[in-house]
Amino acid sequence: MPEISEITRIVHYINKYLAGKVIKNVVANEDAIVFKDTTAAAFTKAMTGKKIVEAKQQGKYFWIEMNSPPHPLMHFGMTGWITFSKAPEAHYRADMAEDDNKEKIEWPPRFMKFVLEMEDEGNNAAFTDARRLGRVRLIDVQADQIRKVSPLKENGPDPVVDGLDEKWFRGVLNKRKVPVKALLLDQSFISGVGNWVGDEILYHARMHPEQYSNTLSDAQQKQLYDSTIYVCKTACELLGDSSKFPEDWLFKYRWGKGKKGNTLPNGEKIDFVKVGGRTSAYVKTRQKATGGTAVKAKAGGSDEDSGKEEKKKNVKKRKAIKTEDDDDDDDEVDETPVKKGKRGRKPKTEEPDEGTKTPAKRGRKKKAVKVEESESEAEEEEEEEEEEEESEPESKPKSSRKGRPKVKEEVVVNGKAEADTPSGRRSSSRLKK
């Protein structure tokens, strides 16, 4: 998912190729999900003939300042991006090196939502989004007021564009009792920090992702503040090009989780745990919790593994309780037909001969065996699932999903709608591992 450094990259290329130029023509596909509080037709009408002044950002949001309102405000979601006809190197994947600008680009690109055609021939830019989680809005205010209206006014400061006040930063840490990783992901706290950036910050700060924010010492608060500024500024200065990230960054070794696991060059293991709904990578030998945490880690394994073990124990405990209940029920059952005496009392029955098994006992034994077999099968199935999950790399393209319905889209060209069905299947893009 594009985070603060990737947005810095796209802002850089918009200013490099589009700033100061006039939009001659706009082609847009009607999409009620991507176009938020507007339509493709309204977007086409608002952009055609306008001059682009410059692009700016706040965290994961960016906007293009036009010579007059409204101004387009965008968010990439998971797979959104802007493709430039003259700059294939603008893509945030590191495998698109700067010397690839002569490579032929497919145009219009797949999953295109809109294309801006500039007055200078052949200079076009297209907003693409395979998963349709991105958003395009029109903000009808003066350019200097954009950050004072929704959705930007609800966002926290951008650590690079705005900087961070250390006193304010520490004050928030002291007030909030949440896992520190979850707090970093909260866009109302800091804009632009996503999953990998948050993990990198905590790795450099030597903090466990699950430690509560209000349990950090003064020294740890200072270290977290410094690490946040360092990671965000470094990544943005390099325009999100992971091939240029420092070799001692966790980013270089965290991807492609498999059976053998991930390790640092010195052999230290990289573990994974879910925090704030996201899978977090961390190095247990370096990032130790010094205060309260959301989940207690199990020694000798990852926190994610300990969570699975805890689930297994709970399942076994519930099955054991159910088995005991079944046994109690069996003990109360007497399958021998008898006549009730006075007041509904059962007459005494003769004791069975030695070595004779009652139906109730036979039933207990069968049920116990059945429970043992079901538990064993469940454990085997869980182990197989875990092995499959661990062996499946995170970079697996999501285009392998079947049965995805084709979406017929309507193309709007200068305000006129034309039927158009996009071709090609969805492809997923991510940073080079």
Side-chain angles (χ1 to χ4, degrees):
M1 175 180 180
E3 300 181 29
I4 186 172
S5 60
E6 292 80 38
I7 303 304
T8 300
R9 184 179 186 86
I10 208 63
V11 166
H12 167 81
Y13 279 98
I14 291 175
N15 287 330
K16 181 177 180 179
Y17 286 93
L18 307 182
K21 305 188 185 307
V22 175
I23 301 173
K24 176 182 67 175
N25 185 44
V26 178
V27 179
N29 289 329
E30 196 64 71
D31 191 319
I33 296 177
V34 174
F35 287 97
K36 180 74 173 175
D37 300 326
T38 188
T39 63
F43 180 85
T44 299
K45 183 178 179 181
M47 295 296 103
T48 304
K50 291 284 189 69
K51 183 178 180 179
I52 293 177
V53 178
E54 65 176 325
K56 296 182 179 180
Q57 81 175 93
Q58 180 187 12
K60 297 180 183 181
Y61 281 98
F62 69 101
W63 63 95
I64 301 176
E65 182 181 328
M66 312 302 293
N67 60 331
S68 64
H71 311 276
L73 173 69
M74 290 161 275
H75 189 290
F76 282 142
M78 293 293 292
T79 58
W81 195 248
I82 287 184
T83 302
F84 297 85
S85 59
K86 285 188 173 182
E89 76 275 11
H91 199 283
Y92 68 92
R93 293 184 308 169
D95 57 355
M96 299 293 285
E98 292 185 1
D99 58 359
D100 288 337
N101 56 1
K102 295 182 180 180
E103 181 181 338
K104 185 177 179 180
I105 300 177
E106 175 188 359
W107 202 268
R110 288 183 297 172
F111 315 114
M112 176 269 289
K113 298 306 172 184
F114 69 77
V115 173
L116 302 180
E117 298 177 356
M118 313 309 291
E119 280 192 333
D120 49 328
E121 194 64 31
N123 184 17
N124 305 321
F127 183 101
T128 62
D129 188 5
R131 297 185 64 181
R132 303 171 71 201
L133 296 174
R135 296 293 180 265
V136 177
R137 294 174 169 87
L138 289 177
I139 307 299
D140 196 6
V141 298
Q142 294 300 317
D144 59 355
Q145 299 297 308
I146 293 177
R147 294 191 62 173
K148 297 180 181 180
V149 299
S150 294
L152 296 186
K153 72 175 183 179
E154 288 84 14
N155 276 12
D158 182 305
V160 177
V161 175
D162 305 317
L164 293 177
D165 181 78
E166 186 175 347
K167 183 178 179 180
W168 168 84
F169 184 88
R170 291 187 177 213
V172 176
L173 293 178
N174 289 328
K175 290 178 181 178
R176 302 282 296 275
K177 184 182 179 181
V178 294
V180 65
K181 172 64 183 295
L183 182 59
L184 289 175
L185 295 179
D186 185 349
Q187 298 302 296
S188 66
F189 173 48
I190 298 176
S191 292
V193 175
N195 201 40
W196 79 258
V197 173
D199 287 346
E200 197 67 48
I201 290 172
L202 293 174
Y203 173 73
H204 287 274
R206 298 297 186 264
M207 291 177 192
H208 194 288
E210 290 184 309
Q211 181 165 346
Y212 287 126
S213 56
N214 64 345
T215 65
L216 301 176
S217 66
D218 288 343
Q220 287 177 314
Q221 290 179 356
K222 170 65 175 174
Q223 183 59 59
L224 183 61
Y225 172 82
D226 291 341
S227 296
T228 300
I229 298 296
Y230 162 69
V231 171
C232 291
K233 279 192 173 181
T234 303
C236 288
E237 287 171 358
L238 297 174
L239 299 179
D241 187 347
S242 60
S243 66
K244 298 178 181 178
F245 287 173
E247 287 301 318
D248 64 344
W249 276 28
L250 179 67
F251 184 95
K252 295 281 189 178
Y253 314 102
R254 60 167 290 166
W255 307 103
K257 183 172 60 174
K259 285 185 177 181
K260 295 183 179 180
N262 300 61
T263 59
L264 298 177
N266 64 0
E268 288 181 276
K269 182 182 177 182
I270 299 175
D271 286 293
F272 299 87
V273 61
K274 274 205 170 183
V275 185
R278 304 298 300 277
T279 298
S280 301
Y282 75 109
V283 180
K284 189 180 297 185
T285 52
R286 300 189 184 194
Q287 297 170 251
K288 298 181 180 180
T290 58
T293 59
V295 177
K296 291 183 179 179
K298 179 182 178 182
S302 69
D303 292 350
E304 192 171 22
D305 292 337
S306 67
K308 291 178 180 178
E309 290 294 330
E310 189 65 26
K311 287 182 179 179
K312 286 183 181 180
K313 290 180 181 179
N314 292 337
V315 170
K316 290 181 179 180
K317 186 181 294 184
R318 288 196 297 270
K319 288 182 177 179
I321 293 173
K322 186 177 185 302
T323 304
E324 291 176 2
D325 292 341
D326 291 342
D327 289 348
D328 291 340
D329 293 340
D330 290 339
D331 290 339
E332 295 175 359
V333 175
D334 188 349
E335 297 183 2
T336 306
V338 295
K339 294 182 179 180
K340 292 184 179 180
K342 294 181 179 180
R343 297 181 182 177
R345 295 178 181 174
K346 294 181 181 179
K348 294 181 180 180
T349 57
E350 295 181 0
E351 292 292 331
D353 295 334
E354 189 174 350
T356 304
K357 296 180 180 180
T358 64
K361 289 183 179 179
R362 285 198 299 272
R364 279 202 304 274
K365 184 174 181 179
K366 288 181 179 179
K367 289 185 178 180
V369 172
K370 186 176 181 181
V371 170
E372 291 174 359
E373 291 175 350
S374 65
E375 289 176 355
S376 177
E377 291 173 358
E379 290 176 0
E380 292 175 358
E381 290 175 0
E382 289 180 13
E383 290 173 357
E384 290 174 358
E385 290 175 359
E386 290 172 12
E387 290 177 357
E388 290 175 359
E389 291 175 358
E390 292 174 353
S391 63
E392 181 179 355
E394 282 192 29
S395 58
K396 181 179 179 181
K398 297 184 178 179
S399 58
S400 59
R401 295 179 181 173
K402 297 181 179 179
R404 190 178 185 89
K406 294 183 179 179
V407 180
K408 187 173 182 180
E409 298 178 336
E410 188 176 274
V411 180
V412 179
V413 182
N414 288 337
K416 297 180 180 180
E418 299 178 358
D420 177 57
T421 302
S423 60
R425 291 174 295 177
R426 180 177 65 78
S427 66
S428 101
S429 59
R430 62 187 300 121
L431 293 164
K432 184 176 181 181
K433 315 304 183 281

